[in-house]
C-alpha cells in the first residue's frame, strides 16, 4: 500500500452566519465541513464532487492550510499543519498549492506573466540569478502548454484568454515543485472548447511532474474524465468515496445516484435525466443527529433520523455513509 | 454583413417561428461589432429547438432580437422574424407590446433570478403583468398568479412571497411562472439553468419539458451546454462568432457532426456515460467581431482549413436531407463508409 502524503482527520470547519433581520434565536451555525476523513496518495487525482454549499471549497482550503480547522487535523508527511508555527507553514506552502476558479480574480492585473509566475520562486529563494529564473519560468510555461514561452512571458492578464491565464495559474503553482495542488473548480468559468486543454494540463502535470491533485468540481463528467478516486460531498460530509470507475459502475449512496441521474449525458439514446431528490441543498437541513440527506431522501427510514451514519468500507476501497448499506 | 450569395434557410417542417438572415450589430465606443450575421432558424409548434454556442457567439443577442429587447446600442441590420407569417420586427412598438410580447412570445432571460423587484412580492408582480395584459381584475389576476406559481412548484405564504425568501432555483421557477403568465405559444429560454446546481437544473428542465409536451408550447433553448441541448431538444442550431455554422436534428448532429467546429466541440466534452477518451479542446479563440472578417470565421482554429476557406465565407447549405452546414470541407468529416 502506498503511503498517504496528505491526510485530513476528523476535519470540521464551522462558521456562524448572522441571520439578517432575525431578532430572536441563535445565530445559525453552518457546518461547512463536518467530520471529514480524507487521504491523498502520491501522484493521484482525487476529485471532490458536490453542489454549491456542499463544503468542497472549504475542504480544499483546509487541506492546504489556507484556513485552520475548528476541530481535527491535516497531516502532511507526518506533520500536523494546523498546529505548526507560521514560519514552518510558509516553507511548507511551496509543497501544498492551490488554484482558484476565476483566473482573473486570482492574479494582480498589473503583473506580467513573468511577475505572476516568478513571485513564489523569489519568495522561496529557489534561484540564485535571473537567468536561472528565466529558464525555470520557460520550463514551467511550456509544461502547461504555453508554447513558445517567450510569446507569453511579458504579457499582462488582460492580454490572455481565460484558458491561457488559468494555465499561467497552473504554471505558477507547478514551478514551486509542489507535491499536491488543490484545483478549486479550475475550469468552471471557462468556455466549453477551452476546458479540455486546461484539464489535460492537470493530467500532464501529474504524469510529467508527479504532482497529486485534489480536483474540486461540481461536474461529474469532468470528475469521471480526470480523477482516480472520487469523494462525493453533501452538506459538509463525504457521503461516498470510491475509485472513479467503481463509483460509476456501482454508485451506492442515494445522493450520488441522484447527482448522476440528474446530469445530462452526451449520448443521444441514453436515459433522460431524472429527478431523484426533492427540494434543494440547504444548510437549514443540517441536524446534529441523523443522516444529512434524510429530509430529502426517498429511501429514508426511521433509523436515518435517529442515528448518524458513518463512512464504512462496503467493498474494497468503496466507502459509503448510508444505513442502507 | 449579409453575404452576397444565397443561403439555405434551415427549415424543419412548417414553422411557427421563422427567423431569416437576421443581422445585428453593436456600437461600442464608435466601433461596430457584428454580433449576428445572417442568422436563420425555424421552429415548429410544440418542438424544442436548441441554439448552442460558446460565449460571444451571439446566442443572447439572438434571443433579445426576437423579443425586441436589444440594448440601446444595438442595431438590427437586416433580416426578418416571422411569427405565423407576420414580421414582428417591422411592427410598431405598441402592437408588439400589446399583441406579441408575453402573449405569443416570452423570454426567460439569463440570470433571470434577478429580474424581480425586491420590494414587491413575487405573486403581486406576476399578477400585475396579468392584469395589465389581460385586463383582469386584481383579484382574478392574483388567483391566476398563485395557480401559476403552484404549477411550477412554489408554495405560497399567506402574506406574499418576496424575492429574498427564495433560493436561486426557486427564483428561476418564479421567472418561468412569469414567462408563462399569458400562456405564450413560444418560450425562449436563455441559459435557464446556468447558475444552478445539477439537481435543480434537472428539476427546472423537467418542468420546461413537461410544459412543452402538455401544452404544445414551442421551446427555444439557448445554452452553451451541449449535453443539455442533447437531452432536451429535437433540432439544433450551432452558432460560432455570430454565424450559424450547422443545423440539423439533434440526434443527427450529435452522431454525425459535419462542421469542423461542431465536431471539435463534441470532442472537447466529457460524458458521464460511454467510453472514456482523451479529449482535445480547440486551440485558439474566436475572431474579433469588430474586424471585417474575410473567409470562414473558424478558419484560424480549423484542422481541415484550405486556401479557399480564408478567401470567402462558406454559405450555409443543405448538404444532406435536413442537415445544413456552412463549410467547404464538410465532406471530409463524413466517414468513408458513408460516401
Amino acid at each position: 500500500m502506498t503511503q498517504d502524503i496528505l491526510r485530513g482527520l476528523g476535519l470540521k470547519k464551522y462558521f456562524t452566519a448572522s441571520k439578517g433581520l432575525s431578532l430572536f434565536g441563535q445565530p445559525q451555525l453552518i457546518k461547512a465541513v463536518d467530520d471529514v476523513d480524507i487521504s491523498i496518495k502520491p501522484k493521484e487525482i482525487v476529485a471532490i464532487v458536490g453542489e454549491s454549499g456542499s463544503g468542497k471549497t472549504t475542504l480544499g482550503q483546509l487541506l492546504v492550510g489556507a484556513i485552520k480547522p475548528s476541530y481535527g487535523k491535516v497531516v502532511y508527511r507526518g506533520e500536523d499543519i494546523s498546529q505548526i508555527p507560521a514560519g514552518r507553514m510558509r516553507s511548507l506552502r511551496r509543497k501544498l498549492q492551490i488554484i482558484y476558479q476565476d483566473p482573473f480574480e486570482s492574479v494582480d492585473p498589473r503583473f506580467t506573466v513573468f511577475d505572476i509566475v516568478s513571485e513564489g520562486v523569489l519568495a522561496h529563494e529557489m534561484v540564485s540569478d535571473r537567468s536561472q529564473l528565466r529558464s525555470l519560468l520557460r520550463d514551467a510555461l511550456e509544461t502547461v502548454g504555453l508554447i513558445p514561452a517567450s510569446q507569453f512571458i511579458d504579457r499582462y492578464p488582460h492580454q490572455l484568454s481565460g484558458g491561457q491565464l488559468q494555465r499561467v495559474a497552473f504554471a505558477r503553482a507547478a514551478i514551486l515543485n509542489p507535491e499536491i495542488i488543490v484545483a478549486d473548480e479550475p475550469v468552471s468559468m471557462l468556455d466549453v472548447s477551452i476546458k479540455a486543454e486546461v484539464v489535460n494540463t492537470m493530467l500532464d502535470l501529474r504524469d510529467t511532474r508527479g504532482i497529486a491533485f485534489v480536483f474540486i468540481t461540481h461536474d461529474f463528467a469532468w470528475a469521471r474524465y480526470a480523477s482516480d478516486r472520487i469523494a462525493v460531498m453533501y452538506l459538509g460530509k463525504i457521503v461516498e468515496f470510491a475509485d472513479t470507475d467503481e463509483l460509476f459502475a456501482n454508485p451506492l449512496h442515494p445522493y450520488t445516484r441522484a447527482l448522476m441521474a440528474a446530469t445530462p449525458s452526451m449520448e443521444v439514446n441514453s436515459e433522460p435525466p431524472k429527478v431523484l431528490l426533492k427540494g434543494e441543498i440547504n444548510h437549514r437541513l443540517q441536524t446534529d443527529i441523523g443522516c444529512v440527506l434524510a429530509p430529502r431522501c426517498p429511501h429514508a427510514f426511521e433509523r436515518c433520523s435517529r442515528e448518524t451514519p458513518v463512512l464504512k468500507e462496503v467493498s474494497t476501497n468503496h466507502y459509503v455513509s448510508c444505513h442502507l448499506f | 454583413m449579409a453575404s452576397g450569395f444565397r443561403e439555405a434557410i434551415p427549415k424543419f417542417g412548417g414553422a411557427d417561428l421563422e427567423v431569416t438572415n437576421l443581422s445585428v450589430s453593436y456600437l461600442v465606443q464608435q466601433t461596430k461589432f457584428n454580433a449576428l450575421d445572417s442568422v436563420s432558424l425555424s421552429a415548429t409548434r410544440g418542438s424544442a429547438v436548441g441554439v448552442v454556442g460558446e460565449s460571444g457567439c451571439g446566442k443572447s443577442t439572438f434571443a433579445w432580437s426576437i423579443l425586441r429587447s436589444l440594448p440601446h446600442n444595438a442595431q438590427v441590420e437586416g433580416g426578418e422574424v416571422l411569427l405565423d407569417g407576420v414580421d414582428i420586427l417591422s411592427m410598431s412598438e405598441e402592437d408588439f407590446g400589446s399583441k406579441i410580447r408575453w402573449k405569443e412570445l416570452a423570454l426567460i432571460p439569463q440570470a433571470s433570478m434577478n429580474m424581480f423587484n425586491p420590494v414587491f412580492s413575487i405573486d403581486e408582480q406576476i399578477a400585475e403583468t396579468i392584469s395589465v395584459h389581460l385586463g383582469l381584475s386584481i383579484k382574478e389576476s392574483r388567483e391566476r398568479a398563485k395557480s401559476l406559481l403552484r404549477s411550477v412548484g412554489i408554495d405560497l405564504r399567506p402574506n406574499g412571497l418576496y424575492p429574498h425568501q427564495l433560493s436561486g432555483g426557486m427564483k428561476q421557477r418564479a421567472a418561468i411562472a412569469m414567462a408563462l403568465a399569458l400562456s405564450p405559444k413560444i418560450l425562449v429560454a436563455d441559459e435557464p439553468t446556468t447558475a444552478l446546481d445539477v439537481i435543480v437544473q434537472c428539476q427546472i428542465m423537467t418542468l420546461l419539458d413537461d410544459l412543452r409536451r402538455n401544452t404544445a408550447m414551442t421551446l427555444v433553448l439557448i445554452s452553451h451546454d451541449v449535453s443539455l441541448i442533447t437531452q432536451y431538444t429535437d433540432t439544433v442550431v450551432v452558432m460560432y462568432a455570430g454565424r450559424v455554422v450547422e443545423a440539423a436534428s439533434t440526434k443527427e448532429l450529435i452522431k454525425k457532426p459535419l462542421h469542423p467546429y461542431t465536431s471539435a466541440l463534441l470532442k472537447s466534452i466529457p460524458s458521464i456515460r460511454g467510453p472514456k477518451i482523451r479529449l482535445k479542446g480547440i486551440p485558439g479563440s474566436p475572431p474579433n467581431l469588430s474586424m471585417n472578417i474575410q473567409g470562414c470565421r473558424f478558419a484560424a482554429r480549423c484542422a481541415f482549413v484550405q486556401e479557399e476557406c480564408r478567401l470567402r465565407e462558406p454559405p450555409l447549405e443543405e448538404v444532406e436531407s435536413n442537415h445544413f452546414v456552412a463549410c467547404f470541407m464538410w465532406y471530409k468529416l463524413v466517414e468513408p463508409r458513408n460516401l
Side-chain angles (χ1 to χ4, degrees):
Chain A
M1 228 185 110
T2 336
Q3 190 69 46
D4 299 329
I5 39 176
L6 187 72
R7 304 179 73 172
L9 296 163
L11 279 180
K12 295 181 182 180
K13 182 70 184 177
Y14 294 171
F15 298 102
T16 44
S18 58
K19 284 193 61 187
L21 289 171
S22 157
L23 294 171
F24 307 103
Q26 302 287 322
Q28 198 189 357
L29 188 67
I30 305 249
K31 298 172 179 174
V33 170
D34 193 20
D35 210 5
V36 163
D37 293 324
I38 189 170
S39 61
I40 319 291
K41 296 183 180 62
K43 298 177 195 178
E44 74 168 343
I45 298 180
V46 175
I48 302 179
V49 177
E51 297 173 279
S52 33
S54 63
K56 53 193 194 304
T57 291
T58 308
L59 179 58
Q61 293 183 337
L62 287 169
L63 289 175
V64 294
I67 53 174
K68 288 206 181 301
S70 310
Y71 304 95
K73 52 187 175 179
V74 177
V75 179
Y76 168 67
R77 295 224 172 260
E79 249 177 303
D80 179 359
I81 64 167
S82 48
Q83 298 296 332
I84 57 173
R88 176 72 187 137
M89 188 61 222
R90 217 169 297 134
S91 65
L92 280 183
R93 205 148 264 156
R94 195 158 77 83
K95 294 290 174 193
L96 305 167
Q97 285 289 305
I98 189 162
I99 287 167
Y100 295 100
Q101 179 171 4
D102 186 343
F104 291 96
E105 287 283 314
S106 59
V107 298
D108 189 323
R110 298 165 302 176
F111 279 19
T112 62
V113 169
F114 182 90
D115 302 329
I116 294 166
V117 182
S118 62
E119 199 182 14
V121 181
L122 297 174
H124 291 285
E125 293 164 359
M126 291 169 67
V127 286
S128 48
D129 62 54
R130 218 175 151 79
S131 74
Q132 202 188 346
L133 176 63
R134 264 199 114 78
S135 83
L136 205 59
L137 232 80
R138 195 172 336 108
D139 273 4
L141 291 176
E142 295 191 347
T143 320
V144 299
L146 296 172
I147 301 169
S150 58
Q151 230 186 62
F152 296 95
I153 210 158
D154 295 316
R155 290 207 214 166
Y156 287 91
H158 73 268
Q159 296 168 314
L160 298 171
S161 69
Q164 287 168 341
L165 195 56
Q166 199 58 302
R167 284 190 273 168
V168 169
F170 273 100
R172 168 170 68 176
I175 200 170
L176 303 174
N177 286 322
E179 253 188 310
I180 292 185
I181 297 176
V182 169
D184 187 358
E185 296 274 14
V187 297
S188 66
M189 303 277 291
L190 305 178
D191 248 326
V192 183
S193 67
I194 309 297
K195 289 181 202 258
E197 291 183 305
V198 173
V199 174
N200 285 344
T201 300
M202 179 171 80
L203 295 174
D204 295 343
L205 282 173
R206 188 265 301 270
D207 294 343
T208 59
R209 302 214 168 183
I211 302 170
F213 282 87
V214 175
F215 174 33
I216 297 171
T217 176
H218 66 281
D219 189 333
F220 248 130
W222 280 112
R224 176 177 184 247
Y225 176 68
S227 68
D228 304 304
R229 290 193 293 154
I230 295 178
V232 181
M233 278 189 89
Y234 180 75
L235 283 180
K237 297 202 184 269
I238 290 180
V239 295
E240 190 162 5
F241 200 168
D243 291 342
T244 301
D245 292 338
E246 160 69 12
L247 189 75
F248 277 90
N250 198 16
L252 295 177
H253 199 283
Y255 180 66
T256 310
R257 290 198 217 160
L259 274 186
M260 283 183 185
T263 306
S265 142
M266 290 277 293
E267 313 259 283
V268 277
N269 292 320
S270 67
E271 288 255 304
K274 270 205 296 273
V275 182
L276 300 183
L277 287 180
K278 49 184 190 248
E280 289 174 48
I281 186 169
N282 187 333
H283 280 284
R284 274 179 224 131
L285 298 175
Q286 273 184 334
T287 50
D288 293 329
I289 293 170
C291 172
V292 278
L293 191 66
R296 297 176 65 195
C297 182
H299 308 288
F301 56 107
E302 180 262 339
R303 189 180 163 199
C304 302
S305 52
R306 186 165 45 79
E307 190 185 321
T308 310
V310 290
L311 267 186
K312 50 181 177 273
E313 191 167 8
V314 289
S315 61
T316 313
N317 289 330
H318 191 153
Y319 298 83
V320 63
S321 161
C322 175
H323 292 314
L324 292 173
F325 304 98
Chain B
M1 278 290 76
S3 327
F5 35 81
R6 276 179 65 89
E7 285 206 279
I9 310 289
K11 277 188 197 174
F12 306 96
D16 268 340
L17 175 69
E18 234 183 288
V19 180
T20 46
N21 299 323
L22 184 65
S23 297
V24 174
S25 69
Y26 288 100
L27 199 62
V28 182
Q29 293 168 345
Q30 271 114 57
T31 309
K32 201 162 124 181
F33 290 85
N34 301 317
L36 286 187
D37 188 357
S38 211
V39 167
S40 302
L41 168 146
S42 74
T44 338
R45 183 149 183 81
S47 70
V49 184
V51 177
V52 70
E54 299 179 87
S55 39
C57 74
K59 320 184 282 291
S60 289
T61 300
F62 177 77
W64 297 331
S65 43
I66 55 181
L67 268 296
R68 290 188 44 167
S69 47
L70 281 165
H72 293 299
N73 61 338
Q75 169 83 38
V76 175
E77 303 272 351
E80 288 180 324
V81 177
L82 301 178
L83 195 66
D84 296 321
V86 180
D87 183 12
I88 56 171
L89 292 186
S90 57
M91 266 182 184
S92 72
E93 182 54 40
E94 288 75 33
D95 279 357
F96 185 81
S98 64
K99 294 186 188 137
I100 308 293
R101 186 176 286 137
W102 300 112
K103 282 187 183 167
E104 298 279 324
L105 260 173
L107 172 71
I108 308 176
Q110 201 168 352
S112 55
M113 41 278 257
N114 304 322
M115 73 190 261
F116 291 101
N117 186 329
V119 301
F120 296 104
S121 75
I122 280 173
D123 39 319
E124 233 176 309
Q125 295 181 51
I126 296 175
E128 192 194 344
T129 307
I130 295 171
S131 118
V132 167
H133 285 270
L134 295 185
L136 295 180
S137 73
I138 298 290
K139 192 160 175 277
E140 284 171 310
S141 306
R142 285 228 166 131
E143 279 314 305
R144 203 175 147 139
K146 279 184 191 158
S147 81
L148 272 168
L149 284 166
R150 237 174 274 123
S151 75
V152 297
I154 298 180
D155 288 324
L156 285 162
R157 301 170 194 196
N159 41 5
L161 200 56
Y162 289 84
H164 74 272
Q165 293 170 311
L166 296 178
S167 67
M170 282 298 176
K171 275 188 242 178
Q172 191 66 326
R173 284 165 194 265
I176 293 172
M178 178 77 147
L180 297 174
L182 307 182
S183 320
K185 287 190 193 144
I186 298 169
L187 183 65
V188 181
D190 186 7
E191 301 274 11
T193 59
T194 297
L196 305 174
D197 277 312
V198 62
I199 291 176
V200 181
Q201 162 173 290
C202 187
Q203 293 166 349
I204 299 283
M205 287 312 303
T206 307
L207 176 69
L208 288 176
D209 202 45
D210 289 348
L211 269 169
R212 175 176 76 84
R213 287 172 200 280
N214 299 338
T215 63
M217 179 184 74
T218 309
L219 178 68
V220 179
L221 178 64
I222 297 176
S223 180
H224 70 283
D225 186 336
V226 185
S227 321
L228 204 66
I229 295 279
T230 306
Q231 295 301 326
Y232 293 104
T233 62
D234 307 314
T235 55
V236 62
V237 164
V238 182
M239 289 188 63
Y240 183 79
R243 294 266 301 166
V244 171
V245 295
E246 188 163 5
S249 82
T250 307
K251 279 189 181 172
E252 166 90 2
L253 185 114
I254 300 294
K255 279 196 272 191
K256 203 175 108 187
L258 292 180
H259 195 284
Y261 171 65
T262 317
S263 167
L265 188 66
L266 295 177
K267 287 182 188 141
S268 307
I269 306 164
S271 181
I272 61 155
R273 279 183 272 278
K276 261 202 242 182
I277 37 158
R278 171 105 177 170
L279 301 172
K280 285 215 178 98
I282 311 175
S285 38
N288 183 339
L289 295 179
S290 69
M291 320 258 200
N292 237 337
I293 303 160
Q294 204 188 12
C296 173
R297 283 148 202 243
F298 189 60
R301 302 171 80 185
C302 183
F304 298 88
V305 65
Q306 295 294 316
E307 201 43 44
E308 187 182 13
C309 310
R310 301 188 201 276
L311 297 176
R312 65 186 189 96
E313 183 153 55
L316 191 67
E317 287 177 316
E318 185 168 10
V319 299
E320 287 177 10
S321 169
N322 283 332
H323 198 147
F324 301 80
V325 185
C327 176
F328 297 126
M329 296 295 137
W330 66 270
Y331 56 88
K332 296 229 166 159
L333 282 94
V334 180
E335 287 169 41
R337 63 190 153 83
N338 294 338
L339 270 178

